Amino acid sequence: MNSEYQVIAAEFRGAVAYLRLTRPDKRNAINDRMIEEMDHFLDTLPAETRAIILHAEGEHFCAGLDLVERIQNRSPDPLSGIKRSRAWHHVFTRLEHGTVPVISVLKGGVIGGGLELASATHVRVCEGSTYFQLPEGQRGIFVGGGASVRVPRIIGAGRVTEMMLTGRRFDAQEGYAMGLGHYLVADGEGLAKAEELAQAIIGNSAVSNFAIINGVSTIAEMPTDSGYFAESVLATMTARSGDFAERTTKFFDNRRRSREESGHADSKTD
Ligand code: 1HE
């Protein structure tokens, strides 16, 4: 990718990288260009990035696959469809299993591929207008960006099957109760909430954040003994990162200091 972004925007403010979908006239539908641009965004993340905030222009987070482009570029060669699907898998997996946590700000439609994208993010903030839908059955297609893998892990295969068969919508409250959203905020307040959460996450050890975003979902798929093995390796790796001793010593020093200060305050009042 060598030209300017057309369908996303990138902004870097200190440790936070902002990835904004900028195709509101098409309800942020994901075309091939958007996948390429997201890939490039991840290629060029500044070294100081400690969290990514994914958000969108307009009233809808994302209307899923660009159906119009898909029909125009339809090819009888099944491999062309496979390549497109694999490109989505590649980019969404880079988001999910990269080195920094991703917080998404959801609003309006989180439809089809929009839910595939959202489910690759680690913390999902829903504004009140958010709704979730998988209308693939109605459109005559199937999910191709990882939804059949990621969404059942959140809400179960049975609910995903039913969502896809009936095309039903879950509103923000329902999505929140099911775990599709982790925070529910009023319309227009999603970005501020994401920024507040980003600051909390940035305050963690970067090595722990890496272990959390890669370890938990990967270990959940492993056979039990492999999971225990992988967990012990991550536990040892994080504990040896240097951050651990420094942070934990500071934590107890601060507690001791505040205990002493409150004791001092007590003796003053005595
Ligand atoms: C689009 C798309 C799209 C809007 N591809 N162009 N996704 C869907 O089935 C969702 C289809 N879209 C909708 O249901 C509605 O557009 C919305 C509920 C999202 C928004 O409604 P509204 O009234 O605000 O907008 P609109 O008038 O329907 O559309 C505005 C424009 O956005 C219009 O373009 P225009 O040039 O005529 O102005 C629409 O064509 C365009 N637009 N959605 C292309 N999806 C890897 S597999 C993943 C499989 C899936 O994602 S399936 C789900 C697909």
Side-chain angles (χ1 to χ4, degrees), residues 65-217:
L65 172 70
D66 186 321
L67 296 164
V68 177
E69 186 182 272
R70 185 77 183 85
I71 290 164
Q72 279 163 0
N73 299 342
R74 206 160 28 153
S75 157
D77 175 9
L79 288 184
S80 78
I82 301 263
K83 280 183 197 156
R84 181 173 290 112
S85 170
R86 299 299 287 160
W88 285 48
H89 292 158
H90 169 73
V91 171
F92 294 0
T93 300
R94 286 189 77 184
L95 281 173
E96 185 186 22
H97 286 159
T99 53
V100 299
V102 184
I103 304 158
S104 54
V105 181
L106 309 181
K107 59 183 166 181
V110 181
I111 306 172
L115 181 51
E116 304 196 283
L117 173 58
S119 64
T121 67
H122 307 102
V123 179
R124 294 178 290 277
V125 178
C126 292
E127 294 192 352
S129 63
T130 307
Y131 63 90
F132 302 92
Q133 193 182 15
L134 289 171
E136 280 76 3
Q138 293 158 317
R139 307 280 178 272
I141 48 175
F142 192 72
V143 290
S148 62
V149 174
R150 290 193 182 94
V151 187
R153 288 178 185 155
I154 303 168
I155 64 173
R159 271 187 192 271
V160 176
T161 305
E162 188 272 330
M163 267 180 100
M164 288 178 71
L165 286 174
T166 62
R168 80 186 283 177
R169 289 176 176 202
F170 287 111
D171 66 19
Q173 190 70 50
E174 291 168 324
Y176 171 72
M178 292 156 73
L180 291 172
H182 301 124
Y183 293 85
L184 186 53
V185 298
D187 288 346
E189 291 179 5
L191 189 57
K193 184 68 189 175
E195 286 173 333
E196 176 197 320
L197 295 167
Q199 289 312 314
I201 287 168
I202 287 167
N204 295 343
S205 151
V207 178
S208 291
N209 281 347
F210 168 80
I212 292 164
I213 67 172
N214 286 277
V216 176
S217 57

